[in-house]
């Protein structure tokens, strides 16, 4: 049982480049989400999904796109990378059939935009 | 979601109990109190949650005041591996539209 797997672990991009951060979970969770964490700060929600085919924006969605074609995968796309997107990105998943939110997080992708 | 206030840092001696406070004076009646921790920039890890009653699991205990305006996370016998940033979060019932809002947390340093 791998839990939540994020790839890559590290990435350096040039300004203007695009890329996709991958997230996969093997727990059959309906809910998935992406957060970013800037140095010394808490996590901020970028986008989330309540199930395959359904996505919505979080607190800081600008510059990012998501899609959810399967229950397992929730990729995050950076359309045109900017230095302000230098951050650590965490993917999380959780059950939909519980009244409380026990979120399982991946190990993060450390992105640097130069 | 209600806001939380936590001390930015705390120290604890190894083997002693670590008591981490959290104020959430604007919490509403259907909001849960959650605790997560983040060890050395890894992904956050769920610890415990509660609504009204005190809770205990294999990791920690959660004490919620009767008026629900504050809570305390207790690590009964802290070890060096408990050194982490601890986040107190209040949030409505499990609704992906109300995903977790992380504040600054408390950086707990467990010392030998």
């Amino acid at each position: 049982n791998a839990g939540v797997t994020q790839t890559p672990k590290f990435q350096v991009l040039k300004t203007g480049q695009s890329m996709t951060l991958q997230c996969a979970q093997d727990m059959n969770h309906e809910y998935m989400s992406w957060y970013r964490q800037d140095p010394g700060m808490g996590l901020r929600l970028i986008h989330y999904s309540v199930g395959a085919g359904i996505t919505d924006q979080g607190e800081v969605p600008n510059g990012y796109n998501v899609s959810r074609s399967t229950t397992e995968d929730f990729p995050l796309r950076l359309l045109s990378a900017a230095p302000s997107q230098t951050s650590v990105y965490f993917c999380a998943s959780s059950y939909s059939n519980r009244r409380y939110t026990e979120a399982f997080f991946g190990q993060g992708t450390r992105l640097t935009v130069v | 979601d209600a806001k939380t206030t936590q001390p930015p840092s705390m120290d604890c001696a190894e083997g002693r109990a670590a008591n981490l406070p959290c104020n959430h004076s604007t919490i509403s009646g259907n909001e849960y109190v959650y605790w997560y921790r983040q060890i050395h920039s890894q992904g956050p890890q769920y610890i415990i949650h509660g609504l009204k009653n005190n809770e205990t699991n294999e990791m920690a205990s959660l004490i919620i005041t009767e008026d629900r305006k504050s809570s305390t996370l207790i690590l009964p016998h802290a070890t060096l591996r408990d050194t982490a940033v601890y986040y107190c979060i209040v949030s409505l019932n499990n609704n992906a539209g109300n995903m977790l809002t992380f504040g600054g947390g408390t950086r707990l340093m467990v010392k030998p």
Side-chain angles (χ1 to χ4, degrees):
Chain A
N1 189 341
V4 179
T5 303
Q6 291 184 234
T7 55
K9 288 184 170 54
F10 300 93
Q11 183 70 50
V12 178
L13 287 179
K14 294 182 178 179
T15 298
Q17 286 185 315
S18 63
M19 78 159 295
T20 299
L21 279 62
Q22 301 291 343
C23 176
Q25 53 93 8
D26 61 0
M27 296 171 282
N28 203 31
H29 288 168
E30 291 283 327
Y31 294 166
M32 295 187 74
S33 55
W34 276 101
Y35 293 84
R36 61 175 286 174
Q37 184 175 33
D38 299 327
M41 308 286 287
L43 282 70
R44 292 184 293 169
L45 181 65
I46 305 172
H47 285 284
Y48 64 94
S49 168
V50 299
I54 307 170
T55 65
D56 207 342
Q57 297 180 350
E59 180 186 356
V60 288
N62 292 341
Y64 308 95
N65 274 356
V66 291
S67 60
R68 185 96 178 270
S69 57
T70 67
T71 298
E72 295 78 20
D73 301 298
F74 191 42
L76 178 72
R77 283 184 290 277
L78 279 70
L79 307 174
S80 177
S84 60
Q85 294 178 303
T86 293
S87 190
V88 181
Y89 291 84
F90 291 101
C91 178
S93 70
S94 60
Y95 296 103
S96 62
N97 59 353
R98 294 181 178 177
R99 285 183 292 174
Y100 62 93
T101 305
E102 180 184 358
F104 294 80
F105 286 82
Q107 290 304 296
T109 294
R110 284 149 182 80
L111 176 68
T112 301
V113 182
V114 297
Chain B
D1 293 343
K3 299 296 185 185
T4 62
T5 303
Q6 299 178 253
S9 64
M10 293 182 63
D11 290 342
C12 177
E14 187 179 19
R16 304 298 293 270
N19 296 281
L20 291 86
C22 180
N23 287 323
H24 31 79
S25 58
T26 60
I27 191 170
S28 62
N30 57 352
E31 285 185 312
Y32 284 88
V33 178
Y34 295 90
W35 284 84
Y36 282 74
R37 73 180 183 183
Q38 188 173 25
I39 297 174
H40 193 52
S41 298
Q42 296 177 14
Q45 176 190 23
Y46 166 85
I47 300 173
I48 199 168
H49 76 280
L51 185 60
K52 296 180 181 178
N53 300 320
N54 299 336
E55 302 288 345
T56 295
N57 63 19
E58 65 278 4
M59 291 182 67
S61 295
L62 174 60
I63 308 298
I64 303 174
T65 59
E66 191 169 346
D67 63 9
R68 302 204 333 120
K69 292 185 177 182
S70 65
S71 61
T72 301
L73 179 75
I74 300 172
L75 308 178
H77 305 286
T79 70
L80 299 179
R81 286 178 291 183
D82 292 322
T83 292
V85 178
Y86 287 78
Y87 296 99
C88 170
I89 301 165
V90 293
S91 184
L92 293 170
N93 294 347
N94 189 16
N95 174 352
N98 275 303
M99 294 300 285
L100 304 167
T101 301
F102 288 78
T106 295
R107 185 173 298 276
L108 176 68
M109 180 73 71
V110 180
K111 298 183 175 180

